[in-house]
Amino acid sequence: MTHVEFEVNRSEHPLDVVERLASDHDWTFDRAEDDEMSVSVSGGWTDYHIAFTWIEDMEAVHIGCAFDLKVPDRLQTEVLKLVALINEQLWVGHFDLWTRENVVMFRHSLLLAGGAEPNHGQCEMLLRTATEACERYYQAFQFV
C-alpha cells in the first residue's frame, strides 16, 4: 500500500481546545510544549494525572490517565491479569501497566485524520472517558 502525504492546514493546534477546556473547569494544567500538555483532575477516589499529546504524523490526540498506584514487582502478574479482565469490558480505550515506572495507566486516542478539527465536546468526552474508567476500576487495582 502506498503512503500518500498531504499538507493539512488546521485553524488551531488541537491541544488549544484541551487547554481551553482545562481553563474553563479551573483545572491545574501545564503546557510546556506545543504538542504536550498535562492536566490534574480530582476524582472521587484520588487525583488523576492526565497527559495529552498531539501526534502529528498520526493526526491523533493521545490521552494517558494515571493515578498514584505503584505496583510492586511481585504483584505485576496479578495486575496484568486484572488489566486483561477490565479491558474485555471497555468499549473504548484500554488500561496498561507501564512496567518501567510500575504504574497503571488508561490510554485512548482521538483520531483527526484528514485535517478534522477537535471540538470542545470531543475533548471533554475523551477526558471524561478516561477519568470515569479510572474511577470505576480504582478500587479493584487497590484491592490487588
Side-chain angles (χ1 to χ4, degrees):
M1 184 162 100
T2 306
H3 179 73
V4 178
E5 290 190 32
F6 58 94
E7 188 172 323
V8 175
N9 293 318
R10 297 181 188 278
S11 63
E12 67 179 336
H13 194 286
L15 292 188
D16 291 346
V17 178
V18 178
E19 187 171 333
R20 278 195 307 278
L21 174 67
S23 183
D24 290 348
H25 288 280
D26 292 322
W27 291 324
T28 302
F29 68 91
D30 179 37
R31 187 167 174 192
E33 298 182 30
D34 283 344
D35 293 342
E36 294 181 18
M37 180 177 169
S38 62
V39 179
S40 295
V41 177
S42 295
W45 298 110
T46 189
D47 293 335
Y48 298 104
H49 313 288
I50 304 165
F52 288 90
T53 306
W54 170 243
I55 305 169
E56 180 76 37
D57 59 335
M58 294 178 64
E59 293 184 83
V61 175
H62 176 266
I63 184 172
C65 183
F67 44 88
D68 291 328
L69 173 73
K70 291 286 186 181
V71 178
D73 291 338
R74 64 184 169 79
L75 294 176
Q76 281 189 2
T77 301
E78 294 304 314
V79 170
L80 287 170
K81 288 178 187 177
L82 177 60
V83 165
L85 291 170
I86 291 171
N87 285 342
E88 289 177 1
Q89 299 176 36
L90 297 176
W91 284 86
V92 295
H94 66 279
F95 280 96
D96 278 332
L97 173 61
W98 284 28
T99 54
R100 191 175 338 151
E101 292 87 12
N102 286 350
V103 296
V104 174
M105 181 175 294
F106 178 86
R107 298 176 58 203
H108 188 42
S109 293
L110 174 63
L111 299 177
L112 300 167
E117 303 264 348
N119 63 43
H120 184 90
Q122 290 171 314
C123 293
E124 188 165 21
M125 183 56 75
L126 188 64
L127 190 135
R128 187 175 343 144
T129 300
T131 55
E132 285 178 358
C134 290
E135 283 282 293
R136 181 174 182 190
Y137 296 107
Y138 178 80
Q139 286 187 306
F141 285 113
Q142 288 294 322
F143 183 74
V144 171

